Amino acid sequence: MELISIIVPCYNQAQYLDECLQSVLDQTYANWECIIVDDGSQDNTKEVANKWGALDTRFKYIYKLNGGLSSARNSGVSAAKGEFILPLDADDYISVDYLTLAMNQFNLNSNLKLVYSLAQKFGEINSLWELESFSLKKLAETNIVFCSGVYRKKDWINVGGYDVNMIYGLEDWEFWIALLKKGGEVYRINKICFFYRIKTVSMITSLNHS
């Protein structure tokens, strides 16, 4: 079983962190590490993260000066020991079988570069997240893959990581394009494995109204 490194950037999201990390602890796939990247938070992120680290040594804590989401993800992936990476934002969570189902696909197809799933919105809105089926053409037009897909660390290295200049969002969209523009297959698990929190004010809603 290959090691999967789950990267959880956290900037003043401590109130949601327990739910996120519980979903990691509950995974049916046991060979994971979870790196919580505290991006200069001013809340009790460190206290919450260290509580989970005391509970299970697979949880790791990193503190860095605030640099934005791309910088935080890059710091986490840089420290990751896993062959595979799963970014997971601190206010979201995953189903218990997400890692198992994703790795099943990677083991079946060596040409895969990215595995993701169906997604559910929760919080202010509770509904299926209607994302179109994957195609490169569609990806070039709009982001049809949420940030929490599984990919190989070597591919992150090859594309130079997440673009730290994209501090206002959409950095995951740019990363998927960079990851896939030279080829590689994509698989979407036909099950809801990712749960995306909708808050009254968030980076994406702010972007949409700017």
Side-chain angles (χ1 to χ4, degrees):
M1 292 175 70
E2 295 92 346
L3 178 65
I4 303 175
S5 297
I6 303 165
I7 312 301
V8 181
C10 193
Y11 177 65
N12 294 338
Q13 303 274 10
Q15 61 183 313
Y16 305 118
L17 194 54
D18 280 335
E19 188 172 15
C20 173
L21 299 184
Q22 185 67 54
S23 77
V24 173
L25 186 65
D26 290 342
Q27 290 301 298
T28 56
Y29 188 96
N31 195 21
W32 54 263
E33 64 172 359
C34 181
I35 302 174
I36 303 144
V37 183
D38 183 346
D39 191 33
S41 296
Q42 297 167 338
D43 61 5
N44 62 324
T45 291
K46 180 178 181 179
E47 179 185 338
V48 175
N50 285 337
K51 175 187 71 175
W52 284 88
L55 179 69
D56 192 309
T57 57
R58 290 175 294 178
F59 290 104
K60 323 284 185 186
Y61 173 78
I62 294 175
Y63 178 85
K64 64 182 290 296
L65 295 176
N66 181 256
L69 189 52
S70 290
S71 175
R73 284 197 188 130
N74 285 340
S75 293
V77 180
S78 293
K81 296 176 181 175
E83 179 184 348
F84 289 88
I85 302 295
L86 172 65
L88 178 61
D89 289 350
D91 52 349
D92 300 329
Y93 69 93
I94 52 177
S95 66
V96 297
D97 54 356
Y98 189 21
L99 298 186
T100 296
L101 294 174
M103 291 311 301
N104 286 347
Q105 295 305 318
F106 277 111
N107 291 329
L108 287 171
N109 183 356
S110 61
N111 293 321
L112 276 180
K113 271 197 173 175
L114 172 64
V115 174
Y116 67 113
S117 70
L118 299 180
Q120 174 86 25
K121 296 177 182 178
F122 75 102
E124 293 293 318
I125 300 171
N126 290 278
S127 65
L128 182 69
W129 191 353
E130 300 279 0
L131 294 168
E132 294 191 47
S133 297
F134 184 85
S135 75
L136 276 177
K137 181 178 183 297
K138 184 56 65 176
L139 182 67
E141 297 170 355
T142 186
N143 192 11
I144 51 174
V145 184
F146 49 78
C147 66
S148 294
V150 181
Y151 59 87
R152 289 180 178 84
K153 180 172 178 176
K154 68 176 184 182
D155 290 324
W156 171 87
I157 294 170
N158 289 339
V159 301
Y162 293 91
D163 186 346
V164 295
N165 294 312
M166 300 188 72
I167 58 172
Y168 298 110
L170 307 181
E171 70 296 317
D172 48 316
W173 182 21
E174 191 276 338
F175 179 75
W176 299 140
I177 291 171
L179 185 77
L180 298 165
K181 65 183 179 184
K182 293 183 179 177
E185 296 179 26
V186 176
Y187 185 86
R188 183 170 74 174
I189 299 164
N190 191 30
K191 179 181 179 181
I192 298 169
C193 297
F194 175 68
F195 298 84
Y196 179 71
R197 187 184 302 272
I198 302 295
K199 302 192 289 286
T200 305
V201 177
S202 68
M203 181 184 289
I204 292 297
T205 54
S206 298
L207 195 69
N208 289 342
H209 290 92
S210 62

